[in-house]
Amino acid sequence: MNNKGKIFLIYPPSPIMNREDRCQQPTDDLIVIPPLPPSDLMYLASIARQEEFEPEIKDYSLNKETIDDVLADIEEFKPDFLLLNAATPTLKNDLGILSKIKEKFPDIKTIAKGAHFNILAKEALEEYSGLDIAIRGEAELTLGEILSGKPYNKILGITYRMPDGILSTDNRPFNNELDKLPYPARDLVDNNIYRRPDTGELQAVIKVSRGCPFHCFFCLATPVSGAKVRYRSAENILGEIKECHEKYGIKNFIFWSDIFNLDRNWVQSLCRAIIDSGLKITFSTNSRADTADVETVKLMKKAGCSLVSIGIESGSQYMLDKMGKKITLNDIKNTVALFKKTGIKVYAYYVLGLPWESEETAQETIEFSKKLNTHFVSYYTATALCGSRFYDYVKEHNLGSLNYDMPYFYPSVNTHHLTKERVFELHKAAVKGYYVRLPYIFMMLFQIRSFAEFKNYFKAGLRVLFRNKKH
């Protein structure tokens, strides 16, 4: 088949990360979120095909491969473009390989995408001479224009290197026509790798919407995807579900969104489309703690929803107010109870170590999480990623060095009341105190339906507990 060229899309050799722009975290201590497929690269590969380029995708983190493996694959594939996803916590590692790539393949054009470049694109090009173009904002339409040969100064949303310096174009508006994007190129990855952590069944990620209006203090969702929620249609999403089912035998899904259940009419239309299709699927998704109602939750269950993740963040109303969550502790209690009653498991997220955290507020969170007794929890230590209001606050108040060596696990900054070392001790105590409780153990034992589930949950629990012991 004739094509205009080749493009190699990669996750660089690094720790296994969830590299979604708003959610840049290692997956070591996540129980029900395993390593995820490189959905962003699969979308971009489909865009490349529309521009008559031949794409290849590889995630070098999965098998702990090295720069030598990257160089060998480039030698064999001979791409004209190399595009990599760079995360802020692993930026030095991610972009550091480009100088070696350029040394051996000087003619290859290197492109990086990631939330980091929304704020620090020029700085990245100044520091890493092997980087030619940084994409700012949503990458699909931008990459299409790069591959089409459009002059760089006419392409919105890029910062690029020229002989006379580093230049930037204006920001690209958010894409309001998500249905027009091609489905991700799942044929370019080994789908057998990506499985449900409880049952071991095949699982795919489907991105159903973008944007969040709440702009929480620590979160990148609004800066990265905008305050307006942009939805794919139920018909478009159902088409992707059918493709996954018919081509790849996938019946389990993560419906990825910045905020899934803000618009109950959209949620209900999607659930009814799934039910009416006759497809027997399961899916997990996210929920705010104040936007769930009985009718919608029952429809979600009937359509196949088995788990929701809820960003609870804190058991202190003071902390919730300071971080701009716009929810109450009663909202949280009622929503968790509703999902539990409907038979949908709940994965609760908490964050310890935001600037106003004290010994008292941290203990409130730990005790509140135990009382809620959700099926799964992750306690994160606060990480100030660039682009968040948290990042600006840390710099303004000199709370730390913004070290990202172990994001979300070991805190990078102090609070006004606690050292980061104390925050980490509280984090370890929270994890251990939650998972070794008899009420939790009995709840999970009664809900396990197979030996495979028991084995996978047991292994995941040990991984979380022992990871905390090692530090």
Side-chain angles (χ1 to χ4, degrees), residues 17 34 63 105 155 167 243 328 335 353 423 425:
M17 294 277 293
N63 298 311
F105 306 101
I155 300 174
L167 304 175
E243 180 183 89
T328 68
T335 299
V423 172
E425 290 302 313

Side-chain angles (χ1 to χ4, degrees), residues 15 70 91 121 190-191 222 291 308 316 319 323 392 400 405 413:
V70 179
L91 190 75
D190 181 359
N191 293 285
T222 306
T291 54
V308 294
S316 161
M319 288 297 293
M323 69 179 78
D392 296 332
D405 284 347
V413 297

Side-chain angles (χ1 to χ4, degrees), residues 160-173:
Y160 58 101
R161 190 183 306 281
M162 294 295 283
D164 55 346
I166 295 168
L167 304 175
S168 289
T169 60
D170 292 340
N171 291 334
R172 179 178 293 275

Side-chain angles (χ1 to χ4, degrees), residues 5 62 92 195 224 255 261 291 294 318 374 411 423 425 431:
L62 282 177
K92 183 176 180 180
R195 294 178 175 271
V224 165
F255 286 174
N261 62 341
T291 54
V294 174
Y318 169 77
T374 56
V423 172
E425 290 302 313
V431 174

